[in-house]
Amino acid sequence: MTDEIMQQDSALYAADITEQLAKQFAILSGGRGQDGYPIITFPEYPNFTDIPEEEFQNVVTYLTSIPSLQDGGIGFILLIDRRQDKWSSVKASLLRIVGSFPGNLQLVLVLLPSGIFQRAISEIVLRFNRDDFKLKVPIIMLNSVTELHSYIDKTQLTQELGGTLEYCHSQWICHRTAIESFAAMVKETAQMLQAFGTELAETELPNDVTTNLGLLTIHTEKRDKMKHDINQARRQGWSLLSSIHEPINKNPDHKLNTDELDNLSTVERLLDQLNETEMAFDEFWNKHQLKLKQCLQLRYFEQDFREVKTALDIVTERHSTFTDIGNSSSHVAHIVRDLCSFEEKSQGALERAEALAFQGDHLIEDNHYAVDSILPKCNELRGVCDSLVNGIKTKKELLNQSMELHKRLEQAMHWCDSGIYLLASQPIDKCQSQDGAEAALQEIERYLETATGQKLEDLSKINDEYGAILGDELMAHVLNIFQKQEAMEEMFEKRRVSLKKLAAKQTRPVQPVAPRPEGVPRSPVSPSETDHRKGHDFNSSHKANVTQINLFKKNKSLSKIEMNELGEGRKCSSSDDEENLAVLRSHVMNELIETERAYVEELLCVLEGYAAEMENPSMIPFIPMVLQKKKDVLFGNMPEIYDFHNRIFLRELENYIDCPELVGRCFLERMEDLQIYERYCRNKPRSESLWRQCSDCIFFQECQKKLEHKLGLDSYLLKPVQRITKYQLLLKELLKYSKNCEGAEDLQEALAAILGILKAVNDSMHQIAITGYEGNLNELGKLLMQGSFNVWIDHKKGHAKVKDLARFKPMQRHLFLHEKALLFCKKREESGEGYEKAPSYSYKQSLHMTTVGITENVKGDNKKFEIWYNAREEVYIVQAATQEVKNTWVNEIRKVLTGQLEARRVCNQHQKLEHISVAPLALPINTSPLRSPQKVRRPEIVSPENRNISVTSPKRQEKGKGWTKTSHPLDVPEENNDGWSSAEDQLNSSDCEEETSKKLLPGKYTVIADYGKGGGDELTVHTGDVLQLVREGQEGRWLVRNLNTSKEGWVPATNLQTLLGDSSSSQSLSSAESASASSTVSSSSSCTEHSTASSNSITDIKG
């Protein structure tokens, strides 16, 4: 019955039909028939026929659902009490009850009306209409309660039917409502515990201490709330159990009926189920809590590990600087003191590392789940500590050897110096006698006896004993001392030979050349002092005397060499900074390569674990419809990025591991390949949007589970964006440590190029946010720049009020400069999340770059510049945030216009060559009535460009008047008059001077600006007048005829520019010449075989 109550999702509950049950037209008293059939009693109810069918069905259906499936399956006994009713209603009630009863029926007992008249009618009707009551179920008509007792025992009947069964309908309703409420609470609690358990099981362990503490607190609070709900449900069950036992508590002899026993059993089973659920949850919670606590311990361990590892890295780096073994005993002693001080200071870091490793051992002993992560870190800490301790010990041993060797070298040097002093201090005059020679010889012999323990005996033995520290410099020093010993011993041997000859055979005394003064003390002297005390040696060995002097000089030079070596050793200590920089460069390079390898592995993992699985037939059923065939959208060009890094870039970076300062060359060589990141970043918003739609699908969950990733796919899709950003940080670090190195310039260029890629990526992200542009943005060429500006628009033909309004109220516009067009957009508010949280730009208008010109400086504001087109018919005054931004934009626009100009010149030059080689020269046909036949021009081969005229008076230009606008040749059709600044020899920039070095030719032109007389016979013209250039005069002036007024005058050549070229395209006739000229085909700006000219406006000259 417990399971039936728990599974009644759509069944009726007592709380839903309490009012209908309270009418008591049908009850389940708990009585049973002879074979255990449940009895449903229909007591006397005067208005039974008036009960709505829905209420009747609800009550009867609910009563049949209360007994267990086993009891209800064998059938029910219906007891219909109609003793106080009429026979007419008995038949209707019987047919209604039996006909619509939802359960199985075993027997129907009907207590007939007890009145004499009604009973007589019943007997008559039953006698003559018995067939009407022949149903599939046996129906027994009873005339009295006594007859009823023969079918059902009194203990199973209520007191109203003469039985002893106690029944209170209101209490029964309360019990049913409470039992069902308790069952629902138990079910809801079990579901909540299951949902919470699922949430705990699916929770990813945090990667930092703060998040871990917060998660542990949140989960503990939820668990406490669950325990509170369980205890509350248990109290409700105990209360209900006590209510069912209440009759027994009042009367120990009371026996519960079958339904009450079922209720009691149901409540007990619900309590047992609640306890079992709680025990299972407690067991799971203890495991989860232990895991969270272990995770917290791990995060603390990892945090301490990073700190200790950083300290050890600093100690290791400092230890690596102890490479010098000293160049003297005092120098070695100084290094030893520094090493001991370093060892003392590093003890703190070593002790922390040992303590942390010991802590990791405890975690492993406590069966921590992350043994695979803790054990390598402990081993690494111990390895670094052992390496440092052993390194310091080894360094001390080497320094001790160095100290011992240097002491021996210094001792040998001292012995040599003392010997040299001895030879130099022997008095030459006294050695001339036999006694003096013998005394000097004995003195030499005694000195040579002191060589044991002082001189260096065997070079090979020195090499064997001190080979670990013998570098090139130290070995050279040892060799010098050996050479000095040999030279000194050679001098001693020669002196001994001479003295022995003097002692053995005396001849006449030899007068010394320079007698040595008496009373000179015998003490070691420096070579400089020895030079002053040198005298003549005995006559028999003048050569030995010279040798002695040479040896002094040699020893002096050796001393100088030793001093230089000492100085160089000290200079080596000053090069520690460069060595430190090299170490730092090496660290940055190692980080670059290690992170590059990890990056390649992550990309491969994503492509194999996610992208490839989208083609796996077994995984396709788990892929949502919105994701199918969208692999290219979700992953973009990640396969291309992986292929480049894995096959090319990583291998090339590894080639520079020993020379990190040169790695900038690798970036510069592969800069074009790195452009692939721009396409990936432009696709990122689409990928982000697609991910948001299906991030919770089973496919991604299964893939993540197989890969054992803690983070979702979205984190890995962000890796390429993070990687291209990381490069510039690493290059900055390398550049900081490589300023004086060979590859510093390459690093600087590589950094600038990477920043350029990031700028292009950023610009493209803004470009894809443009809305409302009907064309294809890719057709506008490469996006060069983008930014926000204040913009004023000045319409030449606009109303005065509009012009004034535009002058004082700027518009906020976001400009996008492409190679072929300049777009004006309005920035909209940011909305959305992630990549969707980005500004959008509503397209307003655009200017083709072939139609625009620029004025770089605007008076009164150095942050403003002008963009204009069609001979300044509309001028856009643009104000940048700073002057630097303005200069950047002006320079970029100038580059675009310059490029267009060069392209046009190349095209015209090519067309000119074709025109010369193919087209025959032809005289122009003059059909204009305004021209006389005598003034037909001769054909000339000139530049095929079609120039416009800008007639400008320098004097009036200063006053803001004059011909400051571009004039259009009458020969050029109106539809071609686009005024492209890039087609001219000079850019349409006010900072560019108009080119006047071209030779002016006679022709006919239209003036678009007024020009007044400057004095003398200069001509006055107005906008729209047609001018005829007649001839060139002196002082750079031209005779010009105004065809509208038939007046002639002189105009300075600096204000005129004639058409260059005499091709058929420049002979197109305007409507001002004749009506028939309208049929003449005019040329466009494109280069064709017969049409090479283009209509272009001349640079606007402004001060």
Side-chain angles (χ1 to χ4, degrees), residues 10 132-133 159 177 219 263 364 488 857 897 922:
S10 59
D132 295 342
F133 297 97
Q159 296 176 359
T177 304
H219 285 184
N263 292 340
I364 295 173
M488 189 204 70
N857 297 319
L897 298 181

Side-chain angles (χ1 to χ4, degrees), residues 840-910:
S840 61
Y841 304 97
S842 297
Y843 169 75
K844 293 300 181 182
Q845 66 186 111
S846 62
L847 300 177
H848 202 287
M849 290 306 294
T850 57
T851 68
V852 304
I854 58 171
T855 301
E856 299 185 12
N857 297 319
V858 176
K859 186 176 181 181
D861 193 341
N862 58 5
K863 294 183 292 184
K864 289 182 180 179
F865 62 98
E866 290 181 350
I867 302 174
W868 48 268
Y869 77 107
N870 278 359
R872 301 184 65 86
E873 190 170 296
E874 281 192 5
V875 178
Y876 297 83
I877 303 173
V878 182
Q879 183 184 47
T882 63
Q883 187 176 1
E884 290 74 14
V885 174
K886 170 221 169 177
N887 293 337
T888 304
W889 273 75
V890 168
N891 291 336
E892 197 65 37
I893 294 174
R894 186 191 296 115
K895 290 179 184 178
V896 173
L897 298 181
T898 303
Q900 293 177 351
L901 174 62
E902 293 301 324
R904 177 61 55 82
R905 285 180 174 174
V906 172
C907 181
N908 288 343
Q909 183 68 25
H910 179 68

Side-chain angles (χ1 to χ4, degrees), residues 795-811:
H795 299 269
K796 187 178 83 170
K797 297 182 180 180
H799 194 273
K801 292 184 178 179
V802 176
K803 295 172 69 175
D804 293 340
L805 183 64
R807 191 182 305 276
F808 295 106
K809 290 188 177 180
M811 297 177 292

Side-chain angles (χ1 to χ4, degrees), residues 594-621:
E594 291 302 323
T595 55
E596 185 74 12
R597 290 170 181 163
Y599 174 56
V600 171
E601 291 177 1
E602 288 171 343
L603 292 182
L604 178 61
C605 189
V606 170
L607 293 175
E608 291 183 347
Y610 288 96
E613 289 297 310
M614 292 183 71
E615 307 293 337
N616 187 353
S618 62
M619 296 293 289
I620 290 179

Side-chain angles (χ1 to χ4, degrees), residues 599 602-603 606 610 634-636 638 641 677 680-681 683-685 687-688 691-692 711-726 758 761 765 834-836:
Y599 174 56
E602 288 171 343
L603 292 182
V606 170
Y610 288 96
L634 184 62
F635 297 97
M638 183 181 285
I641 295 175
Y677 279 92
Y680 184 86
C681 293
N683 179 69
K684 195 67 178 71
S687 173
E688 181 88 1
W691 163 257
R692 289 181 182 277
L711 301 177
L713 174 61
D714 55 332
S715 300
Y716 291 92
L717 292 177
L718 195 60
K719 294 290 183 181
V721 181
Q722 296 171 338
R723 188 58 184 169
I724 191 64
T725 308
K726 179 72 172 177
L758 294 178
V761 168
M765 298 297 287
Y835 273 88
E836 296 177 359

Side-chain angles (χ1 to χ4, degrees), residues 530-745:
T530 306
D531 291 340
H532 295 287
R533 297 180 182 181
K534 285 187 295 184
H536 291 286
D537 202 350
F538 39 86
N539 284 337
S540 62
S541 185
H542 177 71
K543 184 177 180 181
N545 199 12
V546 175
T547 304
Q548 180 180 353
I549 296 173
N550 292 336
L551 182 60
F552 285 169
K553 293 181 179 180
K554 182 178 180 180
N555 289 338
K556 185 175 180 181
S557 64
L558 288 176
S559 299
K560 291 182 179 179
I561 292 174
E562 293 166 6
M563 294 301 294
N564 290 337
E565 291 174 354
L566 179 61
E568 289 175 1
R570 292 174 179 172
K571 289 180 181 178
C572 290
S573 64
S574 65
S575 65
D576 287 347
D577 292 339
E578 178 58 32
E579 294 179 3
N580 292 337
L581 291 176
V583 171
L584 294 173
R585 286 196 300 271
S586 178
H587 285 183
V588 177
M589 191 65 192
N590 289 336
E591 181 183 358
L592 173 60
I593 293 178
E594 291 302 323
T595 55
E596 185 74 12
R597 290 170 181 163
Y599 174 56
V600 171
E601 291 177 1
E602 288 171 343
L603 292 182
L604 178 61
C605 189
V606 170
L607 293 175
E608 291 183 347
Y610 288 96
E613 289 297 310
M614 292 183 71
E615 307 293 337
N616 187 353
S618 62
M619 296 293 289
I620 290 179
F622 302 108
I623 301 177
M625 290 297 297
V626 69
L627 185 60
Q628 291 183 4
K629 298 182 180 180
K630 295 289 184 64
K631 184 170 73 172
D632 292 341
V633 176
L634 184 62
F635 297 97
N637 62 330
M638 183 181 285
E640 182 183 3
I641 295 175
Y642 166 74
D643 183 66
F644 165 67
H645 283 271
N646 180 57
R647 190 169 52 86
I648 300 175
F649 200 55
L650 175 57
R651 298 180 183 180
E652 293 186 357
L653 286 178
E654 290 172 343
N655 293 335
Y656 290 89
I657 190 169
D658 295 327
C659 45
E661 65 275 4
L662 303 180
V663 78
R665 300 173 184 175
C666 179
F667 279 91
L668 291 176
E669 291 172 357
R670 295 299 173 184
M671 198 54 62
E672 185 174 349
D673 295 319
L674 291 172
Q675 303 289 337
I676 55 179
Y677 279 92
E678 181 175 350
R679 184 147 52 93
Y680 184 86
C681 293
R682 292 186 67 173
N683 179 69
K684 195 67 178 71
R686 295 176 61 204
S687 173
E688 181 88 1
S689 177
L690 182 60
W691 163 257
R692 289 181 182 277
Q693 297 178 46
C694 48
S695 58
D696 297 331
C697 70
I698 300 177
F699 171 75
F700 289 129
Q701 296 175 3
E702 289 297 321
C703 291
Q704 183 176 350
K705 193 177 298 182
K706 288 180 182 179
L707 295 172
E708 297 182 354
H709 282 177
K710 295 182 179 180
L711 301 177
L713 174 61
D714 55 332
S715 300
Y716 291 92
L717 292 177
L718 195 60
K719 294 290 183 181
V721 181
Q722 296 171 338
R723 188 58 184 169
I724 191 64
T725 308
K726 179 72 172 177
Y727 285 139
Q728 59 101 4
L729 299 177
L730 294 172
L731 287 174
K732 284 181 180 178
E733 287 293 306
L734 275 175
L735 184 61
K736 184 170 66 174
Y737 304 138
S738 310
K739 291 184 178 180
N740 298 323
C741 296
E742 178 184 351
E745 294 183 0

Side-chain angles (χ1 to χ4, degrees), residues 12 34 65 149 204 327 340 587 654 855:
L12 292 172
Q34 293 180 355
S65 66
H149 294 166
E204 293 185 359
N327 51 28
C340 293
H587 285 183
E654 290 172 343
T855 301

